[in-house]
Amino acid sequence: GAVVSQHPSWVICKSGTSVKIECRSLDFQATTMFWYRQFPKQSLMLMATSNEGSKATYEQGVEKDKFLINHASLTLSTLTVTSAHPEDSSFYICSASLSGGDVKPSYEQYFGPGTRLTVT
Amino acid sequence: GEDVEQSLFLSVREGDSSVINCTYTDSSSTYLYWYKQEPGAGLQLLTYIFSNMDMKQDQRLTVLLNKKDKHLSLRIADTQTGDSAIYFCAESINTASKLTFGTGTRLQVTL
């Protein structure tokens, strides 16, 4: 259980276009989803925290108008890279935390497989 | 802000034990994690430890936590070639808060 998927797994787009990446929790409800960015041979850097039904919280230095995050339901969050440029090329990874309520709290975030974005 | 440091590279022979170290600065860290990332893939949670624990063992994995020194280690017994990957330690204050990742340690297992 606790599977997170991302779509697409890789995408190549032209500079100036926008790209949408989906993150889905397949078999659980995720109150909170996180979006990370990973440059080659580097660690993951948190971009934003997304809570269902509310605006995302962006980390310092992350442009909210460029990286649009929507968390419309408990199983889906989307990241849209607007007007992409070659420097936006990166590996984007989402993660999801189980919701509370009757569900036993999970002490982990479940990670998606990542989306590799290449902007030409 | 939080800072999590790891050594960049570790090479071990197949069958030997691997020890990957991690230091962190945030004294309010409550949960500490070890993740494994294989090339081009997402992260796989290996194990986690609460800050009120000193040690946790799970099959070939042993996690040691020295809270006083803010030092975390992951020992992999009988290291196999399939263990070759990048290992990240991470910390968080609670389960719903953000994870701060270490710089990652690339483990290379040789025959």
Side-chain angles (χ1 to χ4, degrees), chain B residues 15-33:
Chain B
D16 289 349
S17 293
S18 309
V19 179
I20 303 171
N21 294 301
C22 171
T23 57
Y24 60 97
T25 58
D26 191 348
S27 57
S28 59
S29 298
T30 304
Y31 303 96
L32 296 131
Y33 308 82

Side-chain angles (χ1 to χ4, degrees), chain A residues 6-18:
Chain A
Q6 281 185 241
H7 177 81
S9 54
W10 61 269
V11 57
I12 301 172
C13 70
K14 290 187 177 180
S15 187
T17 61
S18 295

Side-chain angles (χ1 to χ4, degrees), chain A residues 32 34 36 38 41-44 46 49 59 91 93 97 106-109 111-113 116, chain B residues 31 33 35 37 40-43 45 48 50 88 95-99 101-104 106:
Chain A
T32 305
F34 302 86
Y36 295 86
Q38 185 181 31
K41 298 184 179 180
Q42 294 190 27
S43 187
L44 281 76
L46 179 68
T49 302
E59 293 299 299
F91 195 52
I93 304 176
S97 287
S106 171
Y107 299 107
E108 61 184 272
Q109 293 177 19
F111 283 81
R116 183 163 301 285
Chain B
Y31 303 96
Y33 308 82
Y35 286 88
Q37 185 181 35
L43 275 73
L45 177 68
Y48 59 87
F50 302 133
F88 291 97
T95 59
S97 70
K98 65 177 185 178
L99 286 168
F101 284 87
T103 45
R106 181 177 296 275

Side-chain angles (χ1 to χ4, degrees), chain B:
Chain B
E2 309 90 352
D3 193 20
V4 184
E5 297 285 339
Q6 297 177 240
S7 53
L8 289 179
F9 183 76
L10 175 67
S11 180
V12 298
R13 286 189 175 179
E14 187 177 41
D16 289 349
S17 293
S18 309
V19 179
I20 303 171
N21 294 301
C22 171
T23 57
Y24 60 97
T25 58
D26 191 348
S27 57
S28 59
S29 298
T30 304
Y31 303 96
L32 296 131
Y33 308 82
W34 283 104
Y35 286 88
K36 176 183 180 182
Q37 185 181 35
E38 299 189 50
L43 275 73
Q44 173 194 355
L45 177 68
L46 293 176
T47 186
Y48 59 87
I49 190 169
F50 302 133
S51 59
N52 60 357
M53 299 168 65
D54 298 324
M55 186 184 87
K56 181 179 181 181
Q57 185 163 4
D58 184 4
Q59 299 182 337
R60 292 192 298 126
L61 305 178
T62 303
V63 178
L64 294 177
L65 174 62
N66 182 327
K67 194 175 179 183
K68 175 176 170 290
D69 294 338
K70 300 188 183 66
H71 182 267
L72 181 73
S73 68
L74 173 69
R75 178 177 180 271
I76 306 174
D78 187 25
T79 312
Q80 302 297 307
T81 54
D83 295 324
S84 294
I86 300 175
Y87 291 79
F88 291 97
C89 64
E91 60 89 19
S92 69
I93 297 172
N94 60 54
T95 59
S97 70
K98 65 177 185 178
L99 286 168
T100 299
F101 284 87
T103 45
T105 299
R106 181 177 296 275
L107 174 64
Q108 180 184 64
V109 182
T110 59
L111 297 174

